[in-house]
Amino acid sequence: MECNLAVSLMHDYLDDDLSKEQQLELKTHLLSCPDCRMQFKELEQTDMLMFSLYHHAPSASHELTQRIMSALPEEKRQQPWLGWIRRHPAITAAAVFLIVMFISSISFWDQETQLVVKGKDLDQVVIEGDTVIVPEGKTITGNLTVENGKTKVYGEVNGNLTVIDGSLYQASTAHISGKVKNIDQALDWIWYKITNAFTDVAYR
């Protein structure tokens, strides 16, 4: 038992609010800790003095009792949420990790402004500034991902097309065989990153 816990239990012991198990634990600690034993004796003597004053001269000692009680330091009470954190360290650590990851991801999402193009057959793609163009008559085999730019499709994409934080234009001649995703919200971006990370791990 730690000394801080022992001190808090001393008050409850003197008020007769401890279970038999807690009383036994406190007594065991007092036998092995001279500092706590001395503090307990002082508390016990104070308690006995207050009891004596109150019962033997209640009318004369009432004001003195109130003054002494107000001068005593208040017992520090542990906040309920601190106790919950101490009882569930694994859940607390996981929650803190997720919060940090969430904030970091949003921060990175706000900071990323550079054009990024991912996929196969990128030699079939034309890049003009921040615009990625799939020309008419050209075919992209597999998935195509464009981040932080404009995407214009005139040819074919034989896979999924994902546009992150950008715009998409599909001409009448365009043909996309897979799904088309346009991600422009932080939560969608984070979910995309998580699922994409798991997909990369699965295929390695």
Side-chain angles (χ1 to χ4, degrees):
M1 176 183 292
E2 294 183 0
C3 293
N4 290 338
L5 178 58
V7 172
S8 66
L9 291 178
M10 289 177 195
H11 298 278
D12 294 332
Y13 177 83
L14 294 172
D15 292 336
D16 199 22
D17 288 338
L18 288 184
S19 65
K20 290 183 179 180
E21 277 187 22
Q22 290 175 317
Q23 289 180 22
L24 181 61
E25 288 180 9
L26 178 60
K27 288 177 180 178
T28 303
H29 178 78
L30 292 177
L31 288 173
S32 62
C33 181
D35 292 338
C36 287
R37 189 162 58 247
M38 183 179 297
Q39 187 168 354
F40 178 74
K41 285 182 179 179
E42 291 174 358
L43 284 173
E44 194 173 33
Q45 289 173 358
T46 303
D47 190 65
M48 290 174 63
L49 176 63
M50 298 301 299
F51 181 84
S52 176
L53 287 172
Y54 183 79
H55 284 82
H56 292 290
S59 58
S61 63
H62 180 71
E63 184 179 348
L64 176 62
T65 302
Q66 291 297 109
R67 290 174 61 186
I68 293 174
M69 291 300 293
S70 63
L72 290 174
E74 292 186 7
E75 180 185 354
K76 293 182 179 179
R77 297 192 176 274
Q78 188 180 39
Q79 296 294 331
W81 60 273
L82 286 175
W84 189 93
I85 288 174
R86 289 181 179 175
R87 290 192 302 271
H88 304 88
I91 297 175
T92 302
V96 171
F97 175 77
L98 288 175
I99 291 171
V100 171
M101 288 297 294
F102 179 77
I103 294 173
S104 299
S105 297
I106 291 179
S107 176
F108 286 134
W109 181 74
D110 286 337
Q111 292 175 5
E112 286 188 0
T113 56
Q114 185 177 359
L115 176 65
V116 178
V117 183
K118 298 178 183 177
K120 297 179 180 179
D121 299 333
L122 293 183
D123 57 327
Q124 304 295 314
V125 169
V126 175
I127 299 176
E128 297 178 353
D130 63 346
T131 304
V132 178
I133 304 170
V134 180
E136 185 176 355
K138 300 292 184 178
T139 301
I140 304 296
T141 303
N143 300 332
L144 177 63
T145 301
V146 180
E147 296 185 38
N148 305 309
K150 301 172 184 176
T151 306
K152 296 182 179 180
V153 181
Y154 299 91
E156 294 186 22
V157 178
N158 291 331
N160 299 328
L161 174 60
T162 304
V163 179
I164 302 172
D165 197 21
S167 61
L168 171 63
Y169 170 77
Q170 297 181 62
S172 58
T173 56
H175 175 73
I176 302 172
S177 62
K179 295 180 180 179
V180 178
K181 299 178 185 177
N182 198 332
I183 300 172
D184 57 1
Q185 298 294 326
L187 288 176
D188 291 339
W189 183 86
I190 293 168
W191 179 249
Y192 167 78
K193 286 293 186 182
I194 292 172
T195 53
N196 193 50
F198 278 114
T199 303
D200 289 344
V201 171
Y203 282 100
R204 284 178 183 174

